[in-house]
């Protein structure tokens, strides 16, 4: 009986999440649409997404963000943002973490999500991991966005690991791109998102969602041959945070 009630609560919590995702999109649809018609208005779209989408979702779910900065992001500077990825809340929390407008690099499959996918394909850099041409094109599109003064965000696990896995292996893309474009790499740890709203359907609960922005890794003196070392240093940093 108790387990059944708990499962009903989890189902309602999931439904409420999707309601919260959809409501701001419908309410602000004209503004959101106008700000996605041109890349020149992306910063306005980002502001709307950060303040009228991400915040209402997190607070509406009872997931109150707390971000600690060991180094501050400088206004007007471009960065490569990377974090562990175990929850759909990761997208919202990343929008809270960075006031600097950034563009997500993500898998093309997300365009299939109703409502969310409509805007996702207009403002994100999509990649088909099975297509070499698509992966190569990401660098060109990222450079254009960096030239516009934006940052880039990649979840380097490139997929969500099993629930039992604390931190999956990292792919090279984010590190190779940071080195190629000579931008600082910003490691970020999300501590609570898996507990609050994991990809396991019958799970989740309200509570604090903490994030820490670690000291940046400068890439100006690095070459492509250093990407593996950089990747493992960043992964080791985040793994230590999650296990201590």
């Amino acid at each position: 009986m108790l387990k059944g009630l708990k499962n009903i609560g989890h189902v309602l919590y999931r439904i409420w999440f999707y309601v919260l995702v959809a409501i701001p999109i419908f309410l602000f649809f004209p503004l959101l649409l106008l700000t996605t018609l041109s890349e020149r208005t992306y910063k306005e779209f980002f502001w709307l997404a950060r303040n009228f989408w991400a915040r209402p979702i997190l607070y509406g779910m009872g997931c109150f963000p707390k971000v600690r900065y060991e180094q501050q992001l400088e206004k007007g500077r471009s960065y490569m943002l990377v974090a562990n990825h175990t929850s759909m809340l990761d997208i919202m929390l990343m929008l809270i973490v960075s006031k600097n407008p950034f563009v997500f690099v993500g898998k093309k499959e997300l365009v299939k999500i109703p409502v969310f996918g409509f805007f996702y394909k207009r403002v994100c850099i999509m990649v088909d991991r099975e297509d070499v041409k698509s992966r190569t094109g990401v660098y060109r599109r990222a450079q254009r966005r960096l030239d516009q003064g934006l940052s880039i965000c990649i979840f380097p696990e490139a997929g969500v690991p099993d629930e039992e896995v604390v931190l999956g292996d990292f792919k090279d893309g984010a590190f190779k791109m940071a080195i190629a474009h000579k931008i600082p790499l910003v490691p970020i740890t999300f501590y609570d998102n898996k507990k609050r709203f994991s990809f396991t359907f019958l799970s989740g609960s309200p509570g604090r969602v903490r994030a820490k922005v670690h000291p940046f890794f400068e890439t100006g003196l690095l070459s492509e041959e250093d990407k593996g070392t950089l990747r493992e240093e960043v992964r080791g940093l985040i793994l230590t945070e999650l296990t201590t």
Side-chain angles (χ1 to χ4, degrees):
M1 179 69 176
L2 184 60
K3 184 178 180 180
L5 290 174
K6 189 175 182 180
N7 287 340
I8 291 173
H10 285 142
V11 171
L12 293 175
Y13 195 59
R14 294 271 155 176
I15 293 172
W16 180 236
F17 170 78
Y18 290 110
V19 169
L20 287 173
V21 168
I23 286 177
I25 294 177
F26 286 121
L27 284 177
F28 299 102
F29 187 86
L31 282 175
L32 292 170
L33 184 60
L34 284 173
T35 54
T36 60
L37 294 177
S38 168
E39 290 183 355
R40 292 192 297 271
T41 55
Y42 179 81
K43 292 182 180 180
E44 287 73 21
F45 172 84
F46 180 88
W47 187 88
L48 288 170
R50 185 174 189 268
N51 293 287
F52 292 102
W53 187 70
R55 289 187 186 278
I57 291 171
L58 289 176
Y59 283 97
M61 294 291 289
C63 296
F64 306 108
K66 182 177 181 180
V67 184
R68 177 183 171 189
Y69 295 88
E70 293 190 323
Q71 185 172 347
Q72 291 289 336
L73 299 165
E74 297 178 23
K75 185 177 181 180
R77 191 175 184 188
S78 296
Y79 298 94
M80 173 63 68
L81 309 173
V82 299
N84 53 309
H85 186 35
T86 55
S87 169
M88 285 181 280
L89 296 181
D90 297 340
I91 295 172
M92 296 81 186
L93 188 54
M94 186 65 81
L95 286 166
I96 300 301
V97 166
S98 176
K99 293 181 181 180
N100 290 20
F102 64 84
V103 177
F104 283 107
V105 174
K107 55 187 179 181
K108 69 172 187 177
E109 289 81 3
L110 294 180
V111 302
K112 299 176 182 177
I113 300 176
V115 184
F116 172 81
F118 177 83
F119 288 100
Y120 175 81
K121 66 183 179 181
R122 285 165 171 74
V123 298
C124 296
I125 299 174
M126 293 179 291
V127 58
D128 181 353
R129 299 192 195 99
E130 305 302 320
D131 186 334
V132 175
K133 185 177 180 180
S134 175
R135 295 200 305 269
T136 303
V138 167
Y139 292 90
R140 183 181 67 256
R141 285 172 285 175
Q143 182 62 66
R144 186 175 73 245
R145 303 304 255 164
L146 291 168
D147 290 342
Q148 295 166 355
L150 303 175
S151 294
I152 303 294
C153 175
I154 297 178
F155 295 114
E157 286 171 281
V160 182
D162 294 336
E163 293 293 308
E164 297 76 21
V165 177
V166 176
L167 186 67
D169 293 333
F170 281 6
K171 303 293 185 182
D172 287 336
F175 310 96
K176 183 178 179 180
M177 193 181 298
I179 292 172
H181 298 305
K182 303 299 181 184
I183 56 175
L185 189 139
V186 182
I188 303 165
T189 300
F190 294 155
Y191 297 93
D192 309 299
N193 290 359
K194 182 191 290 189
K195 181 179 180 181
R196 298 290 164 240
F197 200 81
S198 77
F199 286 91
T200 298
F201 188 76
L202 296 177
S203 67
S205 63
R208 182 181 296 174
V209 285
R210 297 166 297 152
K212 181 191 285 188
V213 177
H214 301 285
F216 310 159
F217 287 77
E218 296 294 337
T219 62
L221 299 178
L222 301 182
S223 64
E224 185 175 344
E225 288 72 27
D226 298 310
K227 67 178 184 295
T229 300
L230 178 62
R231 180 194 67 224
E232 293 310 310
E233 286 182 357
V234 172
R235 184 180 181 277
L237 173 63
I238 295 174
L239 182 60
T240 298
E241 286 293 319
L242 293 173
T243 55
T244 56

